[in-house]
Amino acid sequence: MFSVSAKTQYAIRAMAHLARLEGRSATASEISSAEGIPLKFLEGILTQLKTVGLVGGERGKNGGYRITAAPESVTMLSIVEAMDGSVKPVQCVETAGACAQGGACLPRKFWIGLKDAIDAYLGSRTLKDIAEG
Amino acid sequence: MFSVSAKTQYAIRAMAHLARLEGRSATASEISSAEGIPLKFLEGILTQLKTVGLVGGERGKNGGYRITAAPESVTMLSIVEAMDGSVKPVQCVETAGACAQGGACLPRKFWIGLKDAIDAYLGSRTLKDIAEG
DNA sequence: CTTATTCCTATCGACTTGATAGGAATATAC
DNA sequence: GTATATTCCTATCAAGTCGATAGGAATAAG
Ligand code: FES
Ligand code: FES
């Protein structure tokens, strides 16, 4: 239950790898072999991380990826959301009054509470906590 | 991300229904039409809830399901676990030393922290909180 | 013996996920 | 300006999961 996708786990490993480089860049190939992540899969992940701004990418020869912010300012929540979207236990967390009970729906409040608990935890941990710098 | 299966949502609705009956029994058919849950799907859910002991079932004519404990003593965690198993963001939460870093694996500690946060929230809420009795 | 019900097993289509493949775009180096 | 290294884009695939359905066996009441 509540299992995390391989994609997100890979993303965290990749981000941790880049964090240890302290701003220097690495190619997808390097990260792939160092972290044991399938290259083509990793490429997609890095592109996704780039569109969110967590990493910067430079094309062409001598290109590669670099981290764009200090590891201690990158929350785990931002990585998870970049991969699999926002934490949303049930659909109706973002649309009030979806069911018959309207705005006073107890189940909905319960699930929102869960979302808040998860967001709070993921938002309180940063890349630095897991990068082992 | 972290979406909850329809099965679990159905299970909670079914349990809430039974909770409102305060120990009286209801058939799967009744719950099905009252809560809008596909009958055959619901049957499986109730059987599963029974094996865990959250509900009791009686076969044959005049049979049905009844709740076995007071709603305030049934945690949401117990329902969720009955449906989809224990909270386990990554496989290695239950097997230490799975990766190269051994017991000091920082990612693992991070995921275990998430599990604990989720378990704490789900364990702190009970059926009573959502049954609206 | 009929009827109502739980319970067991099998199956199905749709969707998701992890992974692969091929190649276009882009930048460097010589 | 050609070769090379790299990011980036799009398509595809096999395997698994999920929600749902179907048929019927076991059981109990009357
Ligand atoms: S709004 Fe989602 S269950 Fe009521
Ligand atoms: S034990 Fe799971 S990542 Fe180290």
Side-chain angles (χ1 to χ4, degrees):
Chain A
M1 190 68 221
F2 293 124
S3 62
V4 166
S5 67
K7 198 173 177 181
T8 294
Q9 296 178 58
Y10 286 156
I12 291 174
R13 296 234 300 274
M15 287 295 287
H17 185 96
L18 291 177
R20 281 179 232 113
L21 295 180
E22 294 166 9
R24 275 168 285 138
S25 85
T27 68
S29 270
E30 286 166 356
I31 304 176
S32 169
S33 52
E35 302 288 338
I37 306 172
L39 175 59
K40 283 300 202 173
F41 197 12
L42 176 63
E43 286 181 355
I45 291 170
L46 288 168
T47 309
Q48 216 167 329
L49 288 171
K50 191 193 172 186
T51 68
V52 180
L54 286 174
V55 305
E58 280 167 26
R59 299 222 254 191
K61 201 164 185 175
N62 296 338
Y65 297 91
R66 66 178 79 255
I67 204 172
T68 57
E72 59 266 26
S73 72
V74 176
T75 67
M76 289 296 114
L77 181 62
S78 66
I79 301 177
V80 167
E81 284 187 336
M83 292 297 106
D84 296 340
S86 66
V87 174
K88 192 167 52 175
V90 296
Q91 288 298 336
C92 59
V93 292
E94 25 192 42
T95 60
C99 74
Q101 318 196 35
C105 176
L106 292 178
R108 177 160 183 265
K109 285 182 181 170
F110 166 71
W111 293 121
I112 289 179
L114 175 59
K115 171 191 169 52
D116 290 345
I118 296 175
D119 280 350
Y121 177 80
L122 294 181
S124 74
R125 306 305 163 110
T126 72
L127 240 200
K128 189 186 182 188
D129 295 326
I130 68 149
E132 184 174 21
Chain B
M1 189 71 220
F2 293 124
S3 61
V4 166
S5 67
K7 199 173 177 179
T8 294
Q9 295 179 58
Y10 285 155
I12 292 175
R13 296 233 300 273
M15 287 296 287
H17 185 96
L18 290 177
R20 281 180 232 115
L21 295 180
E22 293 166 9
R24 275 167 286 140
S25 83
T27 67
S29 270
E30 288 166 354
I31 304 176
S32 168
S33 51
E35 302 287 338
I37 306 173
L39 175 59
K40 283 300 203 174
F41 196 13
L42 176 63
E43 286 182 355
I45 291 170
L46 288 167
T47 308
Q48 217 168 328
L49 288 170
K50 190 194 172 185
T51 68
V52 179
L54 287 175
V55 306
E58 281 166 26
R59 297 224 254 190
K61 201 162 184 176
N62 296 337
Y65 297 91
R66 67 179 78 253
I67 203 171
T68 57
E72 59 266 25
S73 72
V74 176
T75 67
M76 290 295 114
L77 181 61
S78 65
I79 301 177
V80 168
E81 284 187 336
M83 292 297 106
D84 296 339
S86 65
V87 173
K88 192 167 52 175
V90 295
Q91 288 299 334
C92 59
V93 292
E94 26 193 39
T95 61
C99 73
Q101 319 197 33
C105 176
L106 291 178
R108 178 161 182 266
K109 286 183 181 171
F110 166 70
W111 292 121
I112 289 180
L114 175 59
K115 171 189 169 51
D116 290 344
I118 295 175
D119 280 350
Y121 177 80
L122 294 181
S124 74
R125 307 303 164 111
T126 73
L127 240 202
K128 190 187 181 188
D129 295 326
I130 68 147
E132 184 174 20

